[in-house]
Amino acid sequence: MQSVSTRIDATKGSRSMLRTITVVILLLLAIQFLIGMLVNLFVTIPNSHPGTKAAEYFSGVVQGDVWALTHGQLPLVLHVITGILLFLGASIVIGLAIASRRRAWIVTAVLGWLGIVTAGFNGASFLNYGENFSSLLMAIGFLLAVIPYAIGFYVTR
């Protein structure tokens, strides 16, 4: 059986890791925003590529992302890679938040993850369907991620 001091040390370690990964996520979100602006201004997405106007959304997302990673211009490739890293980081933060047993971290992690997922799926929708509304929802998802991570980082110091 674990001693109380061992559990306290593990909890402190997970809290420290939460703060570190949250800073990394906030930096990645800022980089993602800047890369997204480059994509928006300087990358032309062809009207037809794998995943375009897919009848089944999720397989279209995979096809479109694979196409973007293998055939897209460099800013688009970096945008997709950064998005995947954000999703993985946000998922890790949820696990660490649950391990820390702190409500503020759990709420922060879940809301931030939802923002990243919202932005990611709407980015894939924009890639495959070209609707400006998807771009707007991607920007809203970005804000829904940045705000809870920033507030959570501040509140849990």
Side-chain angles (χ1 to χ4, degrees), residues 7-77:
R7 278 184 275 162
I8 291 171
D9 290 342
T11 302
K12 284 182 183 177
S14 67
R15 288 178 188 164
S16 173
M17 184 77 77
L18 276 166
R19 292 184 63 76
T20 302
I21 295 175
T22 299
V23 168
V24 170
I25 287 175
L26 286 167
L27 290 172
L28 280 174
L29 283 165
I31 291 167
Q32 183 73 324
F33 173 80
L34 294 173
I35 296 170
M37 288 295 99
L38 289 173
V39 171
N40 186 37
L41 295 172
F42 302 112
V43 173
T44 302
I45 297 170
N47 291 330
S48 181
H49 59 76
T52 302
K53 309 278 190 251
E56 200 284 304
Y57 178 78
F58 292 105
S59 65
V61 166
V62 172
Q63 291 171 350
D65 283 351
V66 168
W67 171 84
L69 288 169
T70 57
H71 295 92
Q73 295 174 22
L74 182 60
L76 181 59
V77 172

Side-chain angles (χ1 to χ4, degrees), residues 82-140:
T82 306
I84 292 167
L85 291 174
L86 281 165
F87 174 77
L88 294 173
S91 298
I92 290 168
V93 169
I94 287 178
L96 290 172
I98 291 169
S100 78
R101 299 178 185 211
R102 292 206 45 209
R103 184 177 306 152
W105 272 119
I106 294 169
V107 170
T108 294
V110 169
L111 292 176
W113 182 87
L114 286 172
I116 287 171
V117 168
T118 298
F121 276 119
N122 282 287
S125 290
F126 183 78
L127 178 66
N128 289 345
Y129 301 100
E131 298 292 333
N132 288 334
F133 187 70
S134 295
S135 186
L136 171 65
L137 291 175
M138 185 174 23
I140 291 169

